[in-house]
Amino acid sequence: MHKLIIWDFDGVIADSERLWMAVWLETLAKEKNIHLNAEEELALLVGVADKTRKERLEHYFPNLHMDANFMRKINDGEVYQGMHFMQPIEGVESVMALKQFSHCIATGATKEQHAWKMTQFKWIEKYMSPADYFTVDMVRQGKPAPDLFLLAAKTKGYKATDCLVIGDSLNDFAAAKAAKMSCVAFVGATGNNTPEYRRKCLDAGVLAVCATMAEVLQAINCWAQKS
């Protein structure tokens, strides 16, 4: 297998980004009386790790401080939502089952967060081992920095030019570009498939914008044939 597919998790393997956003928006409103508009939500919360969300919010709101108790409520809310409502993206397993490629996951979640998510997605163990999971606490900088994708490629023994990232966020696309990897944008998760967001994906330089896993499969095959 001379090509590596690097999967993001939230919004690509699982339709879960909407769940985490709901937790953050509800907790910010209830605990801090902060209400974000759609533009602020996109800029501050979408597609990054909880640590980065906290840093961005505290920078954006200079008087805001989110202590350990606040972050514990965020974590508890995410666990509850994930354990009760997280579902896989339709068709994702059929793409992950492609045996002519190697596969791994590079997620903005921490090792602890990813571990409990995997209790809901144990079927992934048919295609990957825990050694194929790369989490944000394994690198100095999370997405949009390239560190996580580069670590995955190096650990798995692949050159960046032989890696394809499947992501859903602008931070995924920026990290892939910085790592000199090709990238496919998946917009099939709840709320992502809009003309405006598709344009942003294309402006970020992705190879293709896909609303279904069947389209992702076509994009993967096209990339493999050309590279």
Side-chain angles (χ1 to χ4, degrees):
M1 294 179 287
H2 63 286
K3 302 287 185 183
L4 174 65
I5 297 176
I6 302 177
W7 294 83
D8 180 37
F9 184 87
D10 295 302
V12 179
I13 296 175
D15 189 4
S16 51
E17 191 75 25
R18 63 189 175 87
L19 302 178
W20 317 150
M21 293 305 97
V23 170
W24 275 87
L25 294 174
E26 180 180 345
T27 309
L28 282 167
K30 182 178 179 180
E31 301 292 328
K32 303 295 183 180
N33 196 31
I34 289 177
H35 304 269
L36 303 181
N37 59 39
E39 184 177 345
E40 290 169 330
E41 180 182 342
L42 179 63
L44 300 173
L45 299 181
V46 173
V48 293
D50 283 348
K51 178 183 176 183
T52 304
R53 291 178 179 131
K54 179 179 184 296
E55 291 170 350
R56 288 182 176 182
L57 283 162
E58 290 182 336
H59 178 75
Y60 189 76
F61 297 101
N63 295 324
L64 174 64
H65 174 63
M66 291 176 283
D67 59 14
N69 183 56
F70 180 91
M71 295 306 298
R72 185 164 51 251
K73 291 179 179 179
I74 290 288
N75 182 71
D76 291 347
E78 290 178 341
V79 171
Y80 179 84
Q81 290 289 325
M83 297 296 282
H84 288 82
F85 303 110
M86 188 170 65
Q87 297 292 327
I89 294 292
E90 183 178 358
V92 66
E93 186 171 357
S94 63
V95 180
M96 201 172 287
L98 294 172
K99 294 183 178 180
Q100 64 268 45
F101 303 100
S102 184
H103 299 262
C104 71
I105 294 172
T107 173
T110 63
K111 183 178 181 179
E112 180 182 3
Q113 290 170 326
H114 191 66
W116 66 254
K117 292 176 186 179
M118 287 301 96
T119 65
Q120 302 296 99
F121 283 65
K122 293 188 75 66
W123 56 266
I124 291 177
E125 294 176 359
K126 292 187 290 184
Y127 311 109
M128 302 181 215
S129 74
D132 297 319
Y133 306 155
F134 300 91
T135 57
V136 70
D137 44 4
M138 298 171 69
V139 294
R140 187 173 65 87
Q141 297 184 90
K143 309 167 192 177
D147 303 30
L148 192 59
F149 293 155
L150 291 172
L151 174 65
K154 181 179 180 180
T155 303
K156 295 282 290 179
Y158 288 85
K159 298 184 295 183
T161 51
D162 289 328
C163 298
L164 177 68
V165 172
I166 304 177
D168 71 311
S169 73
L170 298 179
N171 287 305
D172 287 322
F173 314 148
K177 184 176 182 180
K180 295 182 170 54
M181 296 178 181
S182 299
C183 187
V184 167
F186 180 71
V187 298
T190 304
N192 281 358
N193 193 13
T194 66
E196 180 183 6
Y197 192 64
R198 280 176 165 267
R199 284 194 297 271
K200 290 181 179 181
C201 294
L202 292 171
D203 289 344
V206 300
L207 295 180
V209 180
C210 304
T212 67
M213 281 296 155
E215 292 177 357
V216 170
L217 177 58
Q218 292 176 347
I220 291 172
N221 289 331
C222 183
W223 164 75
Q225 291 168 7
K226 291 182 178 179
S227 59

